[in-house]
Amino acid sequence: MKEPGTFKILSIDGGGMKGIIPARFLKQVEEVIGEPIHEHFDLLAGTSTGGIICLGLASGMRAEEIANLYINEGAKIFGTKKSKVPIKKFEGLGISATYDNEPLKKLLIEKFADKKIRDANTMLCIPSIEHHKAEPKVFKTPHQHDYIRDAERYMWEVGLATSAAPTYFPAACIGDNECKIDGGLWANNPVLIGIAEARKMGFQLEQIKVLSIGTGDSIYNAPNKIAEAGGLLSWQKNLVELTMQAQSKGAWHTAKYLIGDNLIRLNPILSQALPLDSTNEEDISLMIREANHMFERTFVGDRVRDMFFETNAIYQ
C-alpha cells in the first residue's frame, strides 16, 4: 500500500568498514519484509560508505550482497598500505594517503558496471566535495526538472567520489578532471540533506519521516595534547574522526529539532573503538553482532517497522 502525504527518507552515515553495521541491519529487514529496501523509501541519502550502500540499494542490489562486499572484499580495499610518497610542498614529511583507491575503484566498476545515476530505482542524494573550490557537492537523481548534469554520472564514479576520505584515500579524479573528496567532511550524517530535499519538493516538515542509520559511535578518547599541539602531524587521522563524529551528532540534533518524532536514529554505542579501516576478523564479528542486536532491539520496539515498512513509499 501507498502512504499518501508522507515522504520517507533513508539516511546512512559514513564510517568506512563500519558500513557493515547498517548493511547487515538492512539485510535483516529485507529478510523479514521480503521486499527490496528501496521500495519503502522515496529518497535514499548516504555519505561515503553510506553513499555506496545507498547506490547499491538503488541499483537493485540486496542488502545482504552489499554487506558481504564489505566482509569479503574489505581486506582488498584496506589491505595494502601505500608506500609513503612525499608531497612536493611538504618534501621530507612523507605525507600521502594511506591506501590506493584502485582496488575500491575496480570493485565499484565491477558491481555497478555501466549503470548511471538516472538508472536508480529511487531518488538519491549523495554528498561529496569539489576540492578545487572547496564547495559542497550533492549528486542527485534527475527528480527535479533542473537536475540534469548528474543523471549521466556513472554510479561507480559517485561511489568513489563520496568515499575519498582524506588521509585514507586520494581524491577521486572523475569526469572532466574533477577532483572530489569525501562528503563526510561536511555531511557525514546526511539527514539534513534529505530533509532539505523533501522541503524543496514541497513537503511540509510534518510530512517527512526519516530513518537515520549510523555506523556506530565509540567514545572519542584522543588525548587533549593532540588538539593542544595543533599541528597536522599531531592530529593525523584523529582530525577526520573528530570532524565526522561532531558533524553526525550536530546534524542529528538539528534534524530532531525540525521533525521531532518523525525521525528515528539508530546508532549503536560500540563497546570498543573501531578504526574506519579495520578488516580484523574480530572487529568484523563485533560489527555483525552490533547490527544483529540493533535489529532485535529496534525493528519492532522503536517503531521502525510500523513507521517505515508497513506501507510503501508514495513515489514508486
Side-chain angles (χ1 to χ4, degrees):
M1 294 195 317
K2 305 292 185 180
E3 187 174 358
T6 299
F7 190 87
K8 295 194 288 187
I9 301 168
L10 173 63
S11 172
I12 306 179
D13 289 17
M17 280 294 294
K18 293 189 293 181
I20 289 172
I21 294 172
R24 287 281 301 196
F25 175 87
L26 294 172
K27 164 193 174 292
Q28 293 181 83
V29 172
E30 284 189 335
E31 289 175 349
V32 170
I33 65 176
E35 297 169 334
I37 292 292
H38 72 79
E39 292 184 1
H40 289 263
F41 293 92
D42 300 292
L43 172 69
L44 307 183
T47 303
S48 195
T49 197
I52 293 174
I53 294 171
C54 287
L55 286 163
L57 294 172
S59 73
M61 294 172 64
R62 301 304 291 259
E64 181 176 18
E65 181 182 358
I66 298 169
N68 288 340
L69 284 179
Y70 284 87
I71 295 167
N72 299 327
E73 306 292 338
K76 296 179 182 178
I77 297 169
F78 292 109
T80 304
K81 295 188 177 183
K82 290 175 62 177
S83 59
K84 296 296 183 180
V85 180
I87 296 175
K88 188 174 182 180
K89 183 177 179 182
F90 301 100
E91 194 71 44
L93 294 182
I95 300 173
S96 67
T98 304
Y99 303 101
D100 193 338
N101 64 2
E102 280 301 315
L104 175 59
K105 179 179 177 180
K106 181 180 178 181
L107 181 62
L108 292 174
I109 292 174
E110 177 186 329
K111 294 302 175 182
F112 292 117
D114 59 354
K115 288 183 179 178
K116 297 182 177 181
I117 292 298
R118 60 175 163 79
D119 298 319
N121 291 313
T122 191
M123 290 181 273
L124 287 168
C125 284
I126 310 293
S128 182
I129 295 175
E130 174 51 55
H131 176 262
H132 177 65
K133 295 185 177 180
E135 288 184 352
K137 165 66 182 176
V138 180
F139 295 99
K140 299 179 181 181
T141 43
H143 51 267
Q144 296 272 61
H145 68 87
D146 55 339
Y147 294 177
I148 52 176
R149 184 179 179 187
D150 294 342
E152 297 305 312
R153 296 275 192 181
Y154 288 105
M155 287 189 175
W156 71 260
E157 290 184 301
V158 176
L160 196 66
T162 190
S163 60
T167 75
Y168 290 93
F169 291 114
C173 298
I174 62 172
D176 297 324
N177 297 314
E178 298 169 52
C179 182
K180 298 291 196 296
I181 58 177
D182 198 317
L185 294 181
W186 72 279
N188 197 55
N189 177 350
V191 62
L192 294 176
I193 292 173
I195 292 172
E197 194 66 24
R199 288 288 295 119
K200 182 173 182 180
M201 295 178 66
F203 290 90
Q204 300 302 310
L205 290 175
E206 58 269 20
Q207 295 176 293
I208 302 168
K209 295 181 179 180
V210 183
L211 177 60
S212 172
I213 308 179
T215 55
D217 266 350
S218 55
I219 301 300
Y220 178 77
N221 59 359
N224 285 341
K225 65 182 181 181
I226 291 175
E228 291 166 357
L232 180 61
L233 294 182
S234 175
W235 276 103
Q236 299 183 39
K237 288 184 172 63
N238 286 295
L239 185 58
V240 175
E241 180 70 20
L242 176 69
T243 300
M244 291 182 173
Q245 277 206 34
Q247 190 283 328
S248 289
K249 293 171 184 174
W252 166 39
H253 289 298
T254 304
K256 190 70 173 177
Y257 177 81
L258 290 173
I259 65 173
D261 290 341
N262 278 354
L263 168 67
I264 293 181
R265 173 71 170 167
L266 307 180
N267 194 34
I269 302 299
L270 304 176
S271 58
Q272 65 187 62
L274 294 178
L276 303 183
D277 56 351
S278 177
T279 58
N280 180 288
E281 287 187 10
E282 292 181 1
D283 288 348
I284 290 175
S285 294
L286 173 61
M287 296 177 213
I288 293 172
R289 290 197 303 272
E290 290 288 357
N292 293 343
H293 178 67
M294 185 167 71
F295 177 81
E296 293 167 0
R297 180 175 53 83
T298 66
F299 186 65
V300 175
D302 285 1
R303 302 179 298 129
V304 172
R305 181 185 62 183
D306 293 344
M307 186 178 292
F308 297 99
F309 299 105
E310 287 295 298
T311 55
N312 290 334
I314 60 175
Y315 281 98
Q316 292 291 337

